[in-house]
Amino acid sequence: MIVVVRTNSIIDDYVVNWRQKLGTGISGPVRPCMKRSNKERFALKCLIDTPKARTEVRLHKMCSGHPNIVKVLDVYANDVQFPGEPLPKARLLMVLEFMEGGELFDRISKESRFTEKKAAKYFRQEAEIRLSDFGFAKIDDGNLQTPHFTPYYVAPQVLQAHRYQSKQKQGIIQTSKPYTYDKSCDMWSLGVILYIMLCGYPPFYSETPSRQITSEMRKKILSGQYEFPEEDWQFISDSAKSVVKNLLHVDPSYRMNIDELQKHPWLNDAPDTALHSPAIFNDKDGMEDIKLAHSQHLTSMRIPDSSVTLKPLLDSHNPIIRKRKLRQSSIDESKDSETEPKEKKTTENCKVKSLRDIIAFCILPPKADDAERILNELVTKAIKQCQSQNGFNKILKNWEWDGKKFQQEVDRPRLAHELSQLVLSLTEKLDDSVS
């Protein structure tokens, strides 16, 4: 399919609000725009102009006529300079249908009484759900091998393909055939989404905050090892659990397909049992944890601005955070007998903590007139902890930090991503020194 890419300036045809953000991903903010001719509202997605981005545009345009796909209206190739960039960059500007509904879990979090019946309704897609991101889209020819995934939703077959490909890159001769995957992996991801809708947290997750996917998490996904914790699942129906179990089957040949899912009794006759998932979605510590992992791993994840103040981790009741606390306590106890000087580890941990404080603020800033002052204070504190950290100094220089404040408007989600990459490298070095 040939996509017509306009080369004239987008501002000839649209009024773009460059300061407002509908959502943000690592590829950049999604901004509102208005067509000059009829004043109709649209969303503008900005991508660095690369062959991969061109493929994304082509595949999205190809599917644009489907009722559950966000429509692509226009595509422009313009040079655009964003804050923090020394020169303009060639970008593809996608004008998309403007969607009012928001993200699924955000929508559920606002429900006054969310039940299994409503969960089934959302799952049947009676609520209008649209796909808007084709960054990792592929044409399914039944032989997909290129593994791109989001840690929480990844199917075992994709992990197997990823492991096969990693060994190939290392020069390890493979005796087996390449692992492939197909639409059954989407059914696994649906099982993960349903699990989260019912209880508020994913069935598989990393218990180490600095790592998006650990070897233990990988093993659990490959073996299909997950739990229905009694405290959260005791009142959820066996029929709902049956759907989850059949979708999260490790063997794709036994995994429920779309026709079987549509015919399952729970989908059409779910009980009116109240669920606690909205309360857990509103536990912003847990949601920040999930969103941060996505922002680190998936270039297309959109993180909306929020006006919620983060509460201390010690006050969190999210089960992911709770399990991590217990795990960290046991790790701390086991390290008491180590001979490595504690002063060095303490310093490194302080660096990481100060950077994470900035990341958390950037992703979920409080609703306050002095948000800029708070950010400046967090950065100043982090500078004291990270005096010899060249990576942090380079990031601040790119954002024009003058020693007291930023000299330009800060794109907070993008700053959060840059810092999260720095934190990841610091924690990996710390883990290596401990081991």
Side-chain angles (χ1 to χ4, degrees), residues 12-47:
D12 294 341
D13 306 315
Y14 293 87
V15 177
V16 181
N17 188 340
W18 296 104
R19 291 185 175 275
Q20 185 180 347
K21 293 176 287 187
L22 301 174
T24 302
I26 297 169
S27 60
V30 177
R31 306 179 188 275
C33 62
M34 181 180 68
K35 193 161 189 176
R36 293 183 182 275
S37 60
N38 58 12
K39 309 301 182 186
E40 189 174 356
R41 297 174 72 195
F42 296 97
L44 182 66
K45 179 178 179 182
C46 306
L47 302 170

Side-chain angles (χ1 to χ4, degrees), residues 177-189:
K177 293 182 179 179
Y179 280 94
T180 61
Y181 54 96
D182 53 23
K183 294 174 183 176
S184 66
C185 294
D186 294 330
M187 301 308 295
W188 174 281
S189 298

Side-chain angles (χ1 to χ4, degrees), residues 4-15:
V4 177
V5 179
R6 302 177 184 271
T7 55
N8 65 297
S9 174
I10 189 172
I11 61 176
D12 294 341
D13 306 315
Y14 293 87
V15 177

Side-chain angles (χ1 to χ4, degrees), residues 23-188:
T24 302
I26 297 169
S27 60
V30 177
R31 306 179 188 275
C33 62
M34 181 180 68
K35 193 161 189 176
R36 293 183 182 275
S37 60
N38 58 12
K39 309 301 182 186
E40 189 174 356
R41 297 174 72 195
F42 296 97
L44 182 66
K45 179 178 179 182
C46 306
L47 302 170
I48 298 294
D49 192 350
T50 63
K52 179 180 179 300
R54 296 252 170 179
T55 300
E56 174 180 347
V57 171
R58 180 175 61 82
L59 293 178
H60 194 157
K61 187 69 175 176
M62 184 187 301
C63 303
S64 186
H66 192 280
N68 293 111
I69 303 294
V70 172
K71 293 179 182 177
V72 180
L73 283 301
D74 284 312
V75 181
Y76 293 78
N78 288 175
D79 289 347
V80 180
Q81 183 176 4
F82 285 135
E85 296 177 347
L87 295 170
K89 293 183 180 180
R91 284 182 163 88
L92 294 177
L93 308 177
M94 299 174 65
V95 180
L96 306 174
E97 177 183 8
F98 189 89
M99 301 301 296
E100 301 275 4
E103 296 182 351
L104 175 62
F105 297 147
D106 289 334
R107 187 168 180 174
I108 292 174
S109 70
K110 297 171 184 174
E111 292 273 0
S112 58
R113 187 175 184 273
F114 189 59
T115 65
E116 282 192 41
K117 187 179 287 294
K118 285 186 179 179
K121 176 183 176 182
Y122 281 137
F123 214 59
R124 289 198 307 269
Q125 294 191 358
E126 287 181 8
E128 189 175 5
I129 298 173
R130 303 283 188 92
L131 300 179
S132 62
D133 205 303
F134 283 68
F136 291 150
K138 301 285 183 184
I139 296 176
D140 182 11
D141 58 1
N143 193 40
L144 295 176
Q145 297 179 28
T146 309
H148 293 296
F149 59 87
T150 310
Y152 291 108
Y153 304 97
V154 61
Q157 288 67 46
V158 180
L159 283 183
Q160 294 281 20
H162 182 263
R163 184 160 61 183
Y164 185 96
Q165 190 179 81
S166 296
K167 289 183 178 180
Q168 270 194 326
K169 289 180 179 179
Q170 295 170 19
I172 300 174
I173 298 175
Q174 301 291 285
T175 57
S176 61
K177 293 182 179 179
Y179 280 94
T180 61
Y181 54 96
D182 53 23
K183 294 174 183 176
S184 66
C185 294
D186 294 330
M187 301 308 295
W188 174 281

